[in-house]
Structure formats: structure tokens, C-alpha cells
């Protein structure tokens, strides 16, 4: 059958059912509707504009969060992409290292931008110091394996294959070498944008963000070099869920930036390997979302679903200044596994649109401070056994602001009748070891602090690591007229094993 208006098919089927006895000789391509219009042709059938024209072009690749400039081409070209596979140790969180396997040295890998109809000559090089063979499966390739079958590359080798980018869209690429899940979990994914022939509308800024889930043998934020945990990966129980490969990749000084009045387009992908993302920007509404990275857009969207191995493009216009927080709205991932990034918008307030209170403390937790650098310094010093009270306090302060200040306030004074003070607290003075105990096991039942009674519940915070609890305790002990002193991580480890009678089960 020749090209046919797609809407005609269900209509014909309905007619056939309604008139079973009538003449069923199907209308042929001489039906006027069959020739309707060229723009009904979509996808790969539309995307072949013939052989490449002009000199070959070298693709500009960018590291996240940057996006290469628009191709600006109006005819199909031959585009050469050179991508290197690099295995390297990088921080996954402050003071926590991980051996990532990367496309181009970053997680996610380099962003590739071509135009529909381009012929892409893909060169994959695996560095000589790699331990593993790798390959690449690009979801924008039409052909078995998406390139994987032609790109298996041993350490120190290079491979080459060519494909025509027949379909426009935003596509994930990833390594597909066995065990595939492990290669993806180690960071082997990125994105290729195939622009439609007319290009995409111009915007003020474009950013590249990709979510991924990570599995380490140690707990969340447990310091040191953390190996991959295959069992957690199979159980789909990630230790970290991250944007752009590390906690802090896109917060503090690394935040995305924009100005009030600008339109921002984000290319957001999900490498997985396991989780589906409920992608949301706190304080913004997506004016447009090209869901699933495809051709159509939805408007006025709060949260968009991005499957593992999928992507979406979204645009929003910035009306008021402040910090906009990118999260996976499966929200424990944001606040307890790291799935949080920030876009900072500068510019004049507009009180008619928003009254102007900052979101920082509420939503950023221990990311409200510009970095957790002090925590990392403390972790290193602790590892080498030379941690001073000052270093413990610096690290503890950042963590306190993120973990305790919501209730006990930034100055430790608490809230009358609700949260007891931990500034000049006679409860702490009577027993400084009560600090790590209360942090780890929580507290419930009646307590009297500085002459006032409280009968409430503090939830246990045993997700904190031993050195985090030691540092918070030491910070509190040496602040606000508390008695001073030092709590070590060994003491914390000991206290962790002893559950007191007034422990709480949380809320
Ligand atoms: Cu690989």
C-alpha cells in the first residue's frame, strides 16, 4: 500500500464492520485523501534527504551541563563524531569516590548534536588504560543494536561505524557490553540530539542534565572509595540517585544559571539503569515539554515522567529570581539519595508574581550552604587520624544546618513549647554523650530542658554516618554556651549499637 492518511485506516475498518455485506474492494491510492499532504510523513521515511553534501563536519561535543550550538545547517552533512571511553575515579559525593566508566570523561557522557538526515561517522576509542571492553548503543540509530554490534572496542582499540540519523528527537546512548546493567550503573550513558530539519526555536539558554542511579557497597555518603554493589543493583535499591553523576555536580558554585526574563530549554535524560524519574523543577512550571524526547509537546506541565533510557526536552520562562531546585519528585531520592540540582536565576524581583521569600533552607537542606567542602576536608583528616575540633565543627555546622536546624533553628534556640533548645541546654550539659545518642536513636517522652517541659518526638537520624554524627555532636557541644568537648566516630559507632529506653521509632 502506498502512503495513506493515517486517520483513514480506522475509518475504513469501521466502515468494513458496519457494512459487512457491501462491496469491500478497498479504495486505492486514487482516493483524494491518500495524497493529502507531505507533512503527514514522519519519522524515518521523512528523514532521508539524500546523500551528505559538502565537506565532512566534525561534531562539537560538550560536557554536561553544556549543550553544543545549533547545527545551523539546511542540508544533510557527513558528521564525524569522535568519542573516547575513559575509566576514571571521580567524586560521587563529598569525600566519596567511585570508579566511573565514561563516554568522554564525564557522567553523563558528551552531548552530541546533529541534524535529521545527517550521515554520522562514529569513531569510538577505548583508552589503553581501561580494564574493560565497551561499545555504544545509540537510541537514535536505525539498525540492530543501535551501533552496539559494530562498536565492541577492547582497551587500547578503536572502532568505526556509520549511520544515517533518520528520526529527529532527543535520544539516549549507552554502553551495551555485558553485564549491561553494570556498565550503565557505572555511568556509561549520554545523549544525542537529532534536530528536525528546520532546527529548534531559539532560546536564551540550553542545559544538559541526566539522572542516574548508583549502587555502592557503603551507605549514602559513607566516605572513601566505594565499590559497585551488584546485589543492590539487582534489587533496584540505589545508594545514590544523581543528576550529572555526583552530588554537588549542579549545586552551589556549579549551579545552572539564568536571568529573569530568559527562556531556558533543558535536555533531560535518564540513564537509569533502573529507576524512572518523576522530573520536576520546584518553583517553575514547564511551559512546554517535548515528552519522551519526541516531536510533540505538552504545555503547562508540573512534573514529567522520564523512563530509564528515555529523555524529554522542556522549556520555561523565568519570571522571578531565586533558586529553582531540580528534583526527582520521588522525593526521598532528592533529599536522601542526592537527586537535587539547582538553577539560580538573577534579576529584579517581581512582587506581583511572587512575594519573594527564599526557598533555600526549606528545600535545599544541607545543600543550602554553598558546599559540603568542610565535610569532605573533615572526612579526609579523619581518615588520616588528625582531625581537630575546629575541623569537626566546620563539617558539623554544614550538616547541622541541613539536618537539625529545621526544628532546633539555626541558632540552636528551638521553638517555645515545640522543639527544645540545644543552645546552653542543661540536658546536654548533664551528659554530653546524650547528643550522639539522641541523634542516632531519637527521643520521645517527657524531657525537661532549662526548666521547660517538652513531650514530643524527635525521629532517629541513623541514616547519618558515624563521622557525620561525631561532627554534628562536636559542633553542638562547642557552640552557643554548651560545655565543649569532642565526640569521636569510634564513640558514635559504640553508641549506635546501644538502644536506650527512650529511643523513638520516629513519626
Ligand atoms: Cu561499557
Amino acid at each position: 500500500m502506498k502512503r495513506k492518511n493515517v486517520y483513514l485506516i480506522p475509518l475504513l475498518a469501521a466502515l468494513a464492520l458496519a457494512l459487512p455485506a457491501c462491496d469491500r474492494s478497498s479504495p486505492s491510492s486514487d482516493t483524494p485523501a491518500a495524497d493529502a499532504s507531505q507533512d503527514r510523513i514522519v519519522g524515518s521515511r521523512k528523514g532521508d534527504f539524500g546523500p551528505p553534501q559538502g565537506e565532512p563536519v566534525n561534531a562539537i561535543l560538550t560536557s554536561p551541563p553544556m549543550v553544543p550550538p545549533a547545527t545551523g545547517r539546511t542540508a544533510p552533512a557527513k558528521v564525524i563524531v569522535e568519542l573516547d571511553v575513559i575509566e576514571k575515579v571521580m567524586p560521587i559525593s563529598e569525600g566519596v569516590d567511585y570508579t566511573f566508566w565514561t563516554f568522554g570523561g564525564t557522567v553523563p557522557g558528551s552531548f552530541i548534536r546533529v541534524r535529521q538526515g545527517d550521515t554520522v561517522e562514529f569513531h569510538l576509542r577505548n583508552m589503553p588504560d581501561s580494564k574493560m571492553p565497551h561499545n555504544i548503543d545509540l537510541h537514535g540509530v536505525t539498525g540492530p543494536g543501535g551501533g552496539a554490534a559494530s562498536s565492541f572496542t577492547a582497551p587500547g582499540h578503536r572502532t568505526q561505524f556509520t549511520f544515517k540519523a533518520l528520526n529527529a528527537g532527543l535520544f539516549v546512548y549507552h554502553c551495551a557490553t555485558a553485564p549491561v546493567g553494570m556498565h550503565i550503573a557505572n555511568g556509561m550513558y549520554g545523549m544525542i540530539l537529532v534536530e528536525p530539519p528546520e532546527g529548534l526555536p531559539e532560546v536564551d539558554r540550553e542545559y544538559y542534565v541526566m539522572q542516574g542511579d548508583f549502587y555502592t557497597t557503603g551507605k549514602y555518603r559513607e566516605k572513601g572509595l566505594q565499590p559497585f554493589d551488584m546485589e543492590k543493583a539487582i534489587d533496584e535499591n540505589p545508594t545514590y540517585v544523581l543528576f550529572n553523576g555526583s552530588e554537588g555536580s549542579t549545586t552551589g558554585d556549579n549551579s545552572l544559571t539564568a536571568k529573569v526574563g530568559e527562556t531556558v530549554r533543558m535536555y533531560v535524560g535518564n540513564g537509569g539503569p533502573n529507576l524512572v524519574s518523576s522530573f520536576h523543577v520546584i518553583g517553575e512550571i514547564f511551559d512546554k515539554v517535548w515528552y519522551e524526547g519526541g516531536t510533540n509537546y505538552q504545555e503547562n506541565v508540573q512534573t514529567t515522567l522520564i523512563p530509564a533510557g528515555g529523555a524529554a526536552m522542556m522549556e520555561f520562562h523565568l519570571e522571578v529570581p531565586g533558586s529553582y531546585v531540580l528534583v526527582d519528585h520521588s522525593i526521598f531520592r532528592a533529599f536522601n539519595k542526592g537527586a537535587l540540582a539547582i538553577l539560580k536565576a538573577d534579576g529584579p524581583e517581581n512582587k506581583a508574581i511572587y512575594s519573594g521569600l527564599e526557598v533555600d533552607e526549606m528545600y535545599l537542606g544541607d545543600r543550602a550552604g554553598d558546599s559540603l567542602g568542610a565535610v569532605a576536608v573533615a572526612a579526609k583528616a579523619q581518615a588520616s587520624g588528625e582531625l581537630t575540633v575546629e575541623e569537626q565543627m566546620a563539617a558539623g555546622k554544614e550538616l547541622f544546618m541541613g539536618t537539625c536546624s529545621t526544628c532546633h533553628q539555626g541558632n540552636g534556640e528551638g521553638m517555645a513549647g515545640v522543639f527544645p533548645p540545644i543552645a546552653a541546654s542543661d540536658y546536654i550539659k548533664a551528659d554530653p554523650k546524650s547528643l550522639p545518642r539522641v541523634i542516632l536513636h531519637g527521643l520521645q517522652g517527657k524531657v525537661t530542658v532549662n526548666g521547660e517541659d517538652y513531650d514530643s518526638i524527635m525521629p532517629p537520624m541513623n541514616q547519618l554516618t558515624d563521622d557525620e554524627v561525631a561532627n554534628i555532636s562536636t559542633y553542638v557541644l562547642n557552640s552557643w554556651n554548651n560545655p565543649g568537648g569532642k565526640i569521636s566516630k569510634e564513640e558514635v559507632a559504640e553508641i549506635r549499637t546501644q538502644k536506650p529506653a527512650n529511643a523513638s521509632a520516629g513519626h
Side-chain angles (χ1 to χ4, degrees):
M1 221 189 316
K2 278 236 194 118
R3 225 187 297 125
K4 188 167 274 186
N5 186 319
V6 291
Y7 296 118
L8 201 58
I9 294 165
L11 184 69
L12 289 173
L15 273 175
L17 283 174
L19 308 163
C22 295
D23 176 20
R24 285 205 219 163
S25 67
S26 79
S28 59
S29 51
D30 54 18
T31 315
D35 258 337
S37 75
Q38 283 283 95
D39 45 272
R40 289 236 69 84
I41 315 166
V42 295
S44 54
R45 279 161 301 157
K46 185 187 185 184
D48 191 341
F49 305 127
Q53 298 174 27
E55 286 298 299
V57 181
N58 286 309
I60 300 169
L61 305 187
T62 56
S63 298
M66 304 321 286
V67 175
T71 64
R73 287 194 293 274
T74 53
K78 176 173 172 179
V79 181
I80 296 167
V81 174
E82 302 208 26
L83 194 56
D84 288 344
V85 172
I86 306 166
E87 300 175 358
K88 65 197 260 202
V89 174
M90 295 189 285
I92 191 165
S93 179
E94 279 88 352
V96 190
D97 286 333
Y98 189 79
T99 306
F100 291 94
W101 300 346
T102 74
F103 286 110
T106 56
V107 177
S110 309
F111 196 104
I112 307 166
R113 186 169 191 158
V114 300
R115 179 179 174 274
Q116 189 178 10
D118 282 348
T119 295
V120 181
E121 185 180 293
F122 207 99
H123 299 239
L124 191 69
R125 186 165 66 144
N126 190 0
M127 295 290 109
D129 60 353
S130 290
K131 303 220 165 26
M132 294 294 211
H134 303 283
N135 64 7
I136 192 164
D137 167 352
L138 298 117
H139 292 178
V141 168
T142 304
S150 335
S151 59
F152 182 87
T153 315
H157 287 67
R158 52 162 72 231
T159 53
Q160 183 181 326
F161 65 99
T162 301
F163 68 95
K164 190 170 271 193
L166 294 175
N167 297 67
L170 179 61
F171 300 99
V172 167
Y173 66 75
H174 61 88
C175 182
T177 304
V180 178
M182 181 177 176
H183 285 251
I184 295 176
N186 284 342
M188 298 200 79
Y189 46 79
M191 288 205 286
I192 177 167
L193 171 66
V194 182
E195 294 176 350
E198 67 281 10
L200 292 166
E202 240 180 73
V203 289
D204 299 297
R205 295 184 196 248
E206 295 187 310
Y207 285 118
Y208 169 28
V209 174
M210 254 182 121
Q211 183 170 323
D213 26 299
F214 296 87
Y215 305 82
T216 63
T217 51
K219 277 182 159 205
Y220 174 63
R221 288 187 178 172
E222 195 165 309
K223 304 296 183 273
L225 180 66
Q226 291 293 331
F228 169 71
D229 189 322
M230 188 68 167
E231 212 163 303
K232 276 190 187 171
I234 293 170
D235 291 346
E236 306 190 13
N237 174 27
T239 327
Y240 294 87
V241 181
L242 301 171
F243 293 120
N244 289 359
S246 79
E247 255 201 307
S249 70
T250 322
T251 60
D253 291 344
N254 302 324
S255 298
L256 309 178
T257 57
K259 293 201 170 66
V260 168
E262 289 183 334
T263 299
V264 176
R265 181 185 296 135
M266 295 201 299
Y267 300 90
V268 183
N270 185 2
N274 289 318
L275 301 186
V276 167
S277 175
S278 302
F279 187 74
H280 175 79
V281 176
I282 300 173
E284 261 302 342
I285 297 154
F286 302 131
D287 298 324
K288 293 178 183 171
V289 175
W290 284 261
Y291 46 95
E292 297 170 2
T295 306
N296 295 317
Y297 58 78
Q298 169 66 296
E299 294 171 292
N300 306 317
V301 174
Q302 57 193 307
T303 300
T304 192
L305 209 54
I306 308 181
M313 289 178 270
M314 56 214 72
E315 277 177 20
F316 50 89
H317 184 255
L318 289 161
E319 318 290 344
V320 291
S323 292
Y324 295 88
V325 191
L326 286 57
V327 294
D328 181 338
H329 215 295
S330 295
I331 211 73
F332 270 102
R333 299 176 189 169
F335 297 111
N336 300 78
K337 297 189 172 192
L340 188 152
I342 293 167
L343 180 133
K344 273 190 190 145
D346 288 336
E349 298 278 358
N350 184 343
K351 306 266 183 201
I353 290 178
Y354 188 67
S355 65
L357 272 178
E358 256 297 1
V359 70
D360 283 16
E361 294 252 318
M362 222 12 234
Y363 272 124
L364 301 190
D366 57 21
R367 292 275 149 200
D370 252 358
S371 83
L372 282 180
V375 179
V377 170
K380 277 211 188 88
Q382 189 140 28
S384 58
E386 52 191 33
L387 203 61
T388 66
V389 169
E390 287 68 32
E391 284 168 324
Q392 269 192 292
M393 283 183 69
K397 181 175 181 183
E398 293 282 354
L399 294 162
F400 176 88
M401 293 313 289
T403 328
C404 321
S405 69
T406 14
C407 297
H408 295 289
Q409 305 302 298
N411 58 10
E413 278 169 18
M415 206 177 269
V418 190
F419 303 119
I422 54 174
S425 155
D426 58 4
Y427 186 94
I428 294 174
K429 193 172 178 185
D431 177 14
K433 295 263 175 67
S434 67
L435 256 170
R437 195 160 57 235
V438 169
I439 297 171
L440 285 172
H441 298 289
L443 188 63
Q444 65 183 355
K446 210 181 101 176
V447 288
T448 306
V449 185
N450 300 348
E452 296 258 357
D453 287 345
Y454 297 83
D455 191 357
S456 182
I457 293 179
M458 171 169 149
M461 312 211 171
N462 49 11
Q463 80 279 9
L464 296 167
T465 60
D466 292 344
D467 69 84
E468 287 172 331
V469 174
N471 296 340
I472 296 174
S473 301
T474 303
Y475 170 66
V476 174
L477 277 178
N478 291 280
S479 303
W480 319 303
N481 293 320
N482 280 330
K486 192 167 159 47
I487 301 282
S488 72
K489 84 173 186 199
E490 288 73 23
E491 286 173 293
V492 174
E494 174 76 27
I495 290 166
R496 196 186 283 274
T497 62
Q498 308 157 352
K499 198 168 178 171
N502 57 359
S504 74
H507 292 282

